């Protein structure tokens, strides 16, 4: 199965840019890499997805190098409300296709 | 649209009891899945379905059964509850299955405690 690795936790301050990196191997060649956000007592919520290079939407950017062995979620100018757990999601390259979730990075934003 | 709904929100079972967690979606999504999330941990896939009548096992299927008789509903059955099944259960759906580019929509979760 594909394997993902994310930092367990990160701290930052309001107004800073935060970058969270997920390392992944054996991912499906033609599949996107996706990131989700989860608040306590809620289900995960889609943030952004990408295949290669850089993708930007209204809340985040996603950087994916050419070898696709990692991806970096960038949150610009974070606020206290960005305190959450962030997950990367990839597709497995194996024949028994499955979606593989990272273990999650707990991001704490301080005032 | 109500999105993905799950019932019940909370449940307490005794060891050995069985029950069904309900999940329904009104977005006409092909793909539905069940995850469990233990305290402080990530999501683990239990079972998934790529369409009505088609189901398959995920990472941690033991002790659980599923069926998909309609596009809308995807119930999860606990056959004989064990304390190790104490967890939060999330149901999710998306338009397609074999591609993580399709956004998954999650239900609010069911908190299950087995004593």
């Amino acid at each position: 199965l594909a394997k993902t690795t994310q930092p367990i936790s990160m701290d930052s301050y309001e107004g800073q840019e935060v970058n969270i990196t997920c390392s992944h191997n054996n991912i499906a060649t033609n599949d996107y890499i996706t990131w989700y956000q989860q608040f306590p007592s809620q289900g995960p919520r889609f943030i952004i997805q990408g295949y290669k290079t850089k993708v930007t939407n209204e809340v985040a950017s996603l950087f994916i190098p050419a070898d696709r062995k990692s991806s970096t979620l960038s949150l610009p100018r974070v606020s206290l409300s960005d305190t959450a757990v962030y997950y990367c999601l990839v597709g497995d390259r194996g024949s028994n296709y499955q979606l593989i979730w990272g273990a999650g990075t707990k991001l704490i934003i301080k005032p | 649209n109500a999105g993905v709904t799950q019932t019940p929100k909370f449940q307490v079972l005794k060891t050995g009891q069985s029950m069904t967690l309900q999940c329904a979606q009104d977005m006409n999504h092909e793909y539905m899945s069940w995850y469990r999330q233990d305290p402080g941990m990530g999501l683990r896939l239990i079972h998934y379905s790529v369409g009505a009548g088609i189901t398959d096992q995920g990472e941690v299927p033991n002790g659980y059964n599923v069926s998909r008789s309609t596009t809308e509903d995807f119930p999860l059955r606990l056959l004989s509850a064990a304390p190790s099944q104490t967890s939060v259960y999330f149901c999710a759906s998306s338009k397609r299955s074999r591609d993580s580019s399709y956004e998954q929509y999650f239900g609010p979760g069911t908190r299950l405690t087995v004593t």
Side-chain angles (χ1 to χ4, degrees):
Chain A
L1 284 179
K3 186 175 171 61
T4 60
T5 304
Q6 299 179 236
I8 294 173
S9 65
M10 296 179 67
D11 291 352
S12 188
Y13 292 90
E14 282 192 293
Q16 299 295 306
E17 179 183 75
V18 171
N19 295 311
I20 305 173
T21 296
C22 177
S23 299
H24 28 73
N25 58 20
N26 292 327
I27 67 172
T29 305
N30 298 320
D31 204 3
Y32 280 72
I33 296 160
T34 313
W35 283 77
Y36 285 77
Q37 176 191 56
Q38 186 179 29
F39 296 112
S41 302
Q42 294 185 24
R45 184 175 69 100
F46 174 91
I47 302 175
I48 194 168
Q49 66 187 195
Y51 182 72
K52 269 185 185 175
T53 64
K54 177 182 175 182
V55 177
T56 298
N57 64 18
E58 63 275 9
V59 297
S61 294
L62 182 60
F63 301 90
I64 302 170
D67 65 8
R68 294 179 20 101
K69 291 186 176 180
S70 67
S71 58
T72 298
L73 174 71
S74 181
L75 303 173
R77 298 180 300 281
V78 293
S79 65
L80 296 177
S81 63
D82 291 316
T83 294
V85 179
Y86 293 83
Y87 294 94
C88 62
L89 172 64
V90 300
D92 178 49
R93 184 189 292 175
S95 58
N96 186 18
Y97 185 92
Q98 288 190 21
L99 298 176
I100 306 298
W101 289 78
T105 298
K106 184 170 184 177
L107 176 64
I108 298 173
I109 305 302
K110 302 174 184 177
Chain B
N1 286 349
V4 179
T5 58
Q6 291 183 238
T7 55
K9 284 189 168 49
F10 302 93
Q11 183 70 48
V12 179
L13 290 178
K14 294 188 188 309
T15 297
Q17 287 184 315
S18 62
M19 78 158 296
T20 299
L21 307 185
Q22 301 292 343
C23 174
Q25 52 93 7
D26 61 359
M27 297 172 282
N28 201 31
H29 284 170
E30 290 182 3
Y31 181 77
M32 296 186 73
S33 56
W34 276 102
Y35 294 93
R36 61 176 289 173
Q37 185 172 39
D38 299 332
M41 306 291 285
L43 296 161
R44 290 190 292 170
L45 182 66
I46 304 172
H47 285 285
Y48 64 96
S49 168
V50 301
I54 306 170
T55 64
D56 206 346
Q57 297 180 351
E59 181 187 357
V60 289
N62 292 341
Y64 308 95
N65 272 356
V66 292
S67 60
R68 183 98 178 268
S69 57
T70 67
T71 299
E72 295 78 19
D73 300 300
F74 190 43
L76 177 72
R77 281 182 289 278
L78 278 71
L79 308 174
S80 178
S84 61
Q85 293 178 305
T86 294
S87 190
V88 179
Y89 291 83
F90 289 104
C91 178
S93 74
S94 69
K95 290 182 183 178
R96 286 271 303 275
S97 61
R98 292 179 176 275
D99 191 335
S100 68
S101 67
Y102 285 90
E103 178 180 350
Q104 291 192 62
Y105 295 81
F106 284 80
T110 295
R111 291 185 176 275
L112 176 68
T113 302
V114 182
T115 62

mmCIF file of all heavy atoms in Angstrom, chain A residues 9-27:
data_model
loop_
_atom_site.group_PDB
_atom_site.id
_atom_site.type_symbol
_atom_site.label_atom_id
_atom_site.label_comp_id
_atom_site.label_asym_id
_atom_site.label_seq_id
_atom_site.Cartn_x
_atom_site.Cartn_y
_atom_site.Cartn_z
ATOM 1 N N SER A 9 2.385 17.372 14.866
ATOM 2 C CA SER A 9 1.825 18.659 15.289
ATOM 3 C C SER A 9 2.724 19.806 14.870
ATOM 4 O O SER A 9 3.920 19.608 14.601
ATOM 5 C CB SER A 9 1.627 18.681 16.810
ATOM 6 O OG SER A 9 2.874 18.597 17.464
ATOM 7 N N MET A 10 2.123 20.994 14.799
ATOM 8 C CA MET A 10 2.841 22.224 14.482
ATOM 9 C C MET A 10 2.183 23.374 15.225
ATOM 10 O O MET A 10 0.956 23.368 15.420
ATOM 11 C CB MET A 10 2.797 22.518 12.976
ATOM 12 C CG MET A 10 3.479 21.504 12.106
ATOM 13 S SD MET A 10 3.336 21.918 10.359
ATOM 14 C CE MET A 10 4.324 23.392 10.258
ATOM 15 N N ASP A 11 2.999 24.368 15.592
ATOM 16 C CA ASP A 11 2.490 25.594 16.195
ATOM 17 C C ASP A 11 2.840 26.775 15.307
ATOM 18 O O ASP A 11 3.883 26.757 14.634
ATOM 19 C CB ASP A 11 3.137 25.847 17.565
ATOM 20 C CG ASP A 11 2.703 24.840 18.599
ATOM 21 O OD1 ASP A 11 1.802 24.042 18.307
ATOM 22 O OD2 ASP A 11 3.280 24.854 19.703
ATOM 23 N N SER A 12 1.989 27.787 15.308
ATOM 24 C CA SER A 12 2.332 29.028 14.633
ATOM 25 C C SER A 12 1.547 30.161 15.275
ATOM 26 O O SER A 12 0.804 29.944 16.245
ATOM 27 C CB SER A 12 2.013 28.926 13.133
ATOM 28 O OG SER A 12 2.521 30.052 12.450
ATOM 29 N N TYR A 13 1.707 31.365 14.738
ATOM 30 C CA TYR A 13 1.043 32.536 15.286
ATOM 31 C C TYR A 13 0.139 33.170 14.235
ATOM 32 O O TYR A 13 0.363 33.020 13.022
ATOM 33 C CB TYR A 13 2.076 33.555 15.779
ATOM 34 C CG TYR A 13 2.833 33.067 16.984
ATOM 35 C CD1 TYR A 13 4.019 32.348 16.841
ATOM 36 C CD2 TYR A 13 2.355 33.317 18.266
ATOM 37 C CE1 TYR A 13 4.708 31.890 17.948
ATOM 38 C CE2 TYR A 13 3.050 32.864 19.380
ATOM 39 C CZ TYR A 13 4.216 32.150 19.213
ATOM 40 O OH TYR A 13 4.891 31.690 20.317
ATOM 41 N N GLU A 14 -0.858 33.865 14.706
ATOM 42 C CA GLU A 14 -1.761 34.565 13.801
ATOM 43 C C GLU A 14 -0.981 35.440 12.836
ATOM 44 O O GLU A 14 -0.017 36.103 13.219
ATOM 45 C CB GLU A 14 -2.729 35.439 14.604
ATOM 46 C CG GLU A 14 -3.866 34.692 15.247
ATOM 47 C CD GLU A 14 -4.936 35.623 15.772
ATOM 48 O OE1 GLU A 14 -4.648 36.374 16.738
ATOM 49 O OE2 GLU A 14 -6.041 35.618 15.214
ATOM 50 N N GLY A 15 -1.421 35.442 11.581
ATOM 51 C CA GLY A 15 -0.800 36.281 10.569
ATOM 52 C C GLY A 15 0.373 35.649 9.849
ATOM 53 O O GLY A 15 0.818 36.176 8.829
ATOM 54 N N GLN A 16 0.892 34.545 10.363
ATOM 55 C CA GLN A 16 2.022 33.866 9.735
ATOM 56 C C GLN A 16 1.556 32.957 8.607
ATOM 57 O O GLN A 16 0.377 32.587 8.526
ATOM 58 C CB GLN A 16 2.781 33.039 10.770
ATOM 59 C CG GLN A 16 3.366 33.844 11.906
ATOM 60 C CD GLN A 16 4.448 34.789 11.429
ATOM 61 O OE1 GLN A 16 5.402 34.374 10.789
ATOM 62 N NE2 GLN A 16 4.289 36.067 11.736
ATOM 63 N N GLU A 17 2.484 32.585 7.744
ATOM 64 C CA GLU A 17 2.228 31.558 6.735
ATOM 65 C C GLU A 17 2.663 30.209 7.321
ATOM 66 O O GLU A 17 3.733 30.103 7.929
ATOM 67 C CB GLU A 17 3.015 31.840 5.460
ATOM 68 C CG GLU A 17 2.805 30.772 4.385
ATOM 69 C CD GLU A 17 3.662 31.033 3.158
ATOM 70 O OE1 GLU A 17 4.884 30.782 3.231
ATOM 71 O OE2 GLU A 17 3.120 31.481 2.145
ATOM 72 N N VAL A 18 1.831 29.198 7.119
ATOM 73 C CA VAL A 18 2.135 27.868 7.646
ATOM 74 C C VAL A 18 2.243 26.882 6.488
ATOM 75 O O VAL A 18 1.378 26.864 5.598
ATOM 76 C CB VAL A 18 1.041 27.392 8.622
ATOM 77 C CG1 VAL A 18 1.254 25.934 8.990
ATOM 78 C CG2 VAL A 18 1.037 28.262 9.878
ATOM 79 N N ASN A 19 3.285 26.081 6.518
ATOM 80 C CA ASN A 19 3.478 25.044 5.509
ATOM 81 C C ASN A 19 3.497 23.676 6.168
ATOM 82 O O ASN A 19 4.262 23.439 7.107
ATOM 83 C CB ASN A 19 4.804 25.254 4.755
ATOM 84 C CG ASN A 19 4.792 26.543 3.958
ATOM 85 O OD1 ASN A 19 3.850 26.820 3.228
ATOM 86 N ND2 ASN A 19 5.836 27.346 4.114
ATOM 87 N N ILE A 20 2.655 22.772 5.683
ATOM 88 C CA ILE A 20 2.587 21.397 6.206
ATOM 89 C C ILE A 20 2.928 20.460 5.059
ATOM 90 O O ILE A 20 2.286 20.495 4.009
ATOM 91 C CB ILE A 20 1.180 21.068 6.750
ATOM 92 C CG1 ILE A 20 0.753 22.101 7.795
ATOM 93 C CG2 ILE A 20 1.193 19.664 7.356
ATOM 94 C CD1 ILE A 20 -0.687 21.926 8.246
ATOM 95 N N THR A 21 3.930 19.604 5.281
ATOM 96 C CA THR A 21 4.382 18.701 4.227
ATOM 97 C C THR A 21 3.966 17.270 4.511
ATOM 98 O O THR A 21 4.040 16.801 5.646
ATOM 99 C CB THR A 21 5.903 18.783 4.064
ATOM 100 O OG1 THR A 21 6.254 20.109 3.636
ATOM 101 C CG2 THR A 21 6.399 17.789 3.012
ATOM 102 N N CYS A 22 3.533 16.592 3.485
ATOM 103 C CA CYS A 22 3.187 15.177 3.554
ATOM 104 C C CYS A 22 4.101 14.437 2.575
ATOM 105 O O CYS A 22 4.184 14.805 1.403
ATOM 106 C CB CYS A 22 1.725 14.981 3.174
ATOM 107 S SG CYS A 22 1.167 13.269 3.133
ATOM 108 N N SER A 23 4.807 13.430 3.068
ATOM 109 C CA SER A 23 5.620 12.580 2.198
ATOM 110 C C SER A 23 4.801 11.352 1.830
ATOM 111 O O SER A 23 4.118 10.781 2.695
ATOM 112 C CB SER A 23 6.903 12.145 2.916
ATOM 113 O OG SER A 23 7.666 13.265 3.262
ATOM 114 N N HIS A 24 4.866 10.951 0.580
ATOM 115 C CA HIS A 24 4.081 9.791 0.149
ATOM 116 C C HIS A 24 4.815 9.022 -0.936
ATOM 117 O O HIS A 24 5.443 9.601 -1.810
ATOM 118 C CB HIS A 24 2.688 10.205 -0.352
ATOM 119 C CG HIS A 24 2.599 11.582 -0.926
ATOM 120 N ND1 HIS A 24 3.116 11.923 -2.153
ATOM 121 C CD2 HIS A 24 2.046 12.716 -0.425
ATOM 122 C CE1 HIS A 24 2.883 13.197 -2.384
ATOM 123 N NE2 HIS A 24 2.234 13.709 -1.368
ATOM 124 N N ASN A 25 4.725 7.687 -0.882
ATOM 125 C CA ASN A 25 5.316 6.841 -1.919
ATOM 126 C C ASN A 25 4.291 5.821 -2.398
ATOM 127 O O ASN A 25 3.272 5.603 -1.765
ATOM 128 C CB ASN A 25 6.590 6.157 -1.419
ATOM 129 C CG ASN A 25 6.342 5.320 -0.182
ATOM 130 O OD1 ASN A 25 5.219 4.935 0.118
ATOM 131 N ND2 ASN A 25 7.397 5.025 0.551
ATOM 132 N N ASN A 26 4.592 5.213 -3.547
ATOM 133 C CA ASN A 26 3.702 4.215 -4.167
ATOM 134 C C ASN A 26 2.298 4.756 -4.415
ATOM 135 O O ASN A 26 1.322 4.018 -4.328
ATOM 136 C CB ASN A 26 3.597 2.950 -3.299
ATOM 137 C CG ASN A 26 4.901 2.191 -3.251
ATOM 138 O OD1 ASN A 26 5.645 2.179 -4.231
ATOM 139 N ND2 ASN A 26 5.199 1.592 -2.122
ATOM 140 N N ILE A 27 2.220 6.025 -4.739
ATOM 141 C CA ILE A 27 0.893 6.582 -4.996
ATOM 142 C C ILE A 27 0.504 6.349 -6.451
ATOM 143 O O ILE A 27 1.358 6.143 -7.318
ATOM 144 C CB ILE A 27 0.800 8.073 -4.646
ATOM 145 C CG1 ILE A 27 1.660 8.925 -5.586
ATOM 146 C CG2 ILE A 27 1.196 8.290 -3.193
ATOM 147 C CD1 ILE A 27 1.421 10.416 -5.385
#
